[in-house]
Amino acid sequence: MATIKDIANELNLSVSTVSKGLSGASDVSDKTRQLILNTALKMGYVPKQNRAGADPTRICVFIENMGYERIEQFGYDIIVGFKLEAAAKKWDVSIVPLAMNQESEYNYDDYMTANHYAAGFLLGFTLHNDFIAQMQKTKIPTVLLDNVVYNKNVACVGVDNQQGIFHVVEHLAELGHRNIAMLNGETISRVSQERLDGFRLGMEKCGLTVREELVAHGDYMADCADKFVGYFIREGATAIVCASDLLAHGVLRELYRMGLRVPDDVSVAGFDDLPLASYTTPSLTTIRQNRLAIGKNVCMVMEQIMNGNHVNRLLLMPELVVRESTGKPKA
């Protein structure tokens, strides 16, 4: 069984660099981290020993509307973290990508039972789709990313979205911003609801008024930003809080097209800390989700449910990462 030292020797890196890459440390470059993670999976590395049990437990991971195959995609670190921790438990993991609305073809419990899966992990699903509805009655131990269902067999793992946006608003208020806009994701998303709640709580805590004309809903993708940015600026916004880094990237692009400077004219902040956040111009202030840790904790929670210890929700602490895209408003 491969060790951290084996991976370090294979890649001609220091043991400490490999250890940092496996833990998701921010001071290891994205290129090096992907190389470390890919090599760890290839060599069969597991973070701790667990050799009990003859037959591997079979786990199914369903993914809808989320990229996961490249390091710049949101789901990549989550899946890698999950696979590393699952390997430690000698679980056999299957990945099942679903096209939008394809889940209507599945009866979740029947599919899981017929294929001898002991538990499931669902990523990328919205509140109002068929699989989430089925979770309300499922008897299969299941973990959802970000979505909450009140069933003793189902748990939610994610970050505290309210706290993340709350920190962004505090940061902007401390810089002196008063007219802060928010470009959110879809209204049908629990994540969107929680991030909007965090925005409202942050504004209230900082003694600022939420101007409803400065709150808009998009779809988490960069292309929707141009529909709202010009309106925000005309309404006097000096800062724009975005519910994802992709949205923030679209906002930066539109502000550049309009001839406005960031952060001299307008400050912009995102959420997720995708690899692109470090490479935008200017680099993006954002909320970091430790997605490797999310994936690893999904395994921990899943094991608890399979052992009869019911968990409702596990929230990891997000981290504010201040870069170049936020500054004091113009006098």
Side-chain angles (χ1 to χ4, degrees):
M1 185 174 294
T3 65
I4 289 179
K5 187 175 180 180
D6 294 331
I7 298 170
N9 290 337
E10 176 72 16
L11 298 176
N12 196 26
L13 295 172
S14 68
V15 170
S16 63
T17 298
V18 172
S19 179
K20 288 180 180 180
L22 291 170
S23 66
S26 58
D27 56 346
V28 176
S29 72
D30 295 320
K31 182 178 179 180
T32 300
R33 184 161 57 88
Q34 181 167 22
L35 183 61
I36 291 169
L37 294 171
N38 288 344
T39 303
L41 291 174
K42 183 179 179 180
M43 295 180 68
Y45 166 79
V46 297
K48 52 188 176 181
Q49 304 297 329
N50 185 346
R51 300 178 179 274
D55 297 323
T57 300
R58 299 194 71 213
I59 307 296
C60 188
V61 179
F62 288 97
I63 304 177
E64 180 185 78
N65 194 33
M66 181 181 293
Y68 67 95
E69 294 177 316
R70 302 188 306 276
I71 197 167
E72 67 268 19
Q73 295 176 314
F74 180 83
Y76 176 86
D77 278 0
I78 297 175
I79 294 299
V80 169
F82 182 82
K83 282 185 172 181
L84 287 173
E85 199 67 19
K89 304 177 187 303
K90 302 190 73 174
W91 290 353
D92 179 12
V93 177
S94 300
I95 307 293
V96 180
L98 295 180
M100 291 294 287
N101 300 318
Q102 188 183 356
E103 77 278 353
S104 60
E105 301 172 11
Y106 291 83
N107 179 289
Y108 179 72
D109 281 28
D110 289 349
Y111 179 88
M112 298 291 281
T113 301
N115 290 280
H116 307 290
Y117 289 119
F121 175 31
L122 276 60
L123 302 84
F125 293 79
T126 59
L127 286 173
H128 303 295
N129 69 24
D130 183 66
F131 255 26
I132 298 300
Q134 291 185 49
M135 293 304 105
Q136 296 173 5
K137 296 182 179 179
T138 185
K139 294 179 173 60
I140 305 295
T142 303
V143 179
L144 310 178
L145 178 67
D146 289 321
N147 282 315
V148 175
V149 171
Y150 297 104
N151 176 343
K152 67 180 183 179
N153 299 310
V154 180
C156 165
V157 174
V159 300
D160 190 329
N161 292 295
Q162 284 193 22
Q163 184 186 54
I165 294 292
F166 185 97
H167 286 330
V168 171
V169 173
E170 274 193 323
H171 167 64
L172 292 169
E174 288 170 359
L175 290 171
H177 292 276
R178 295 294 176 263
N179 292 314
I180 304 174
M182 181 175 186
L183 181 51
N184 203 3
E186 303 98 333
T187 56
I188 61 172
S189 165
R190 175 177 286 274
V191 168
S192 297
Q193 294 177 7
E194 293 177 348
R195 292 179 188 178
L196 180 58
D197 289 343
F199 178 75
R200 295 187 186 281
L201 286 171
M203 295 289 280
E204 180 181 358
K205 168 67 166 23
C206 295
L208 304 178
T209 300
V210 175
R211 295 173 53 193
E212 297 301 330
E213 65 271 24
L214 294 183
V215 177
H217 290 272
D219 59 7
Y220 285 111
M221 302 304 291
D223 291 345
C224 80
D226 57 356
K227 303 175 186 176
F228 306 104
V229 173
Y231 178 76
F232 285 161
I233 300 304
R234 290 191 295 274
E235 290 296 320
T238 63
I240 303 175
V241 175
C242 302
S244 76
D245 289 346
L246 291 177
L247 274 174
H249 178 63
V251 169
L252 291 174
R253 187 176 61 195
E254 181 64 12
L255 289 170
Y256 176 80
R257 190 194 67 79
M258 295 171 64
L260 296 174
R261 299 167 299 169
V262 177
D264 296 343
D265 298 317
V266 186
S267 286
V268 179
F271 200 113
D272 292 332
D273 199 25
L274 294 176
L276 69 84
S278 299
Y279 303 113
T280 58
T281 303
S283 59
L284 185 65
T285 293
T286 188
I287 293 296
R288 183 170 191 259
Q289 300 194 57
N290 188 331
R291 294 182 296 282
L292 273 174
I294 290 173
K296 292 176 180 180
N297 276 277
V298 167
C299 277
M300 182 271 288
V301 170
M302 184 177 287
E303 186 173 48
Q304 290 297 310
I305 301 173
M306 289 192 288
N307 289 336
N309 301 315
H310 307 304
V311 178
N312 175 249
R313 196 174 191 189
L314 175 67
L315 294 181
L316 278 65
M317 298 280 284
E319 176 189 356
L320 175 66
V321 180
V322 178
R323 296 195 179 99
E324 300 170 342
S325 67
T326 51
K328 294 181 179 180
K330 295 176 71 172

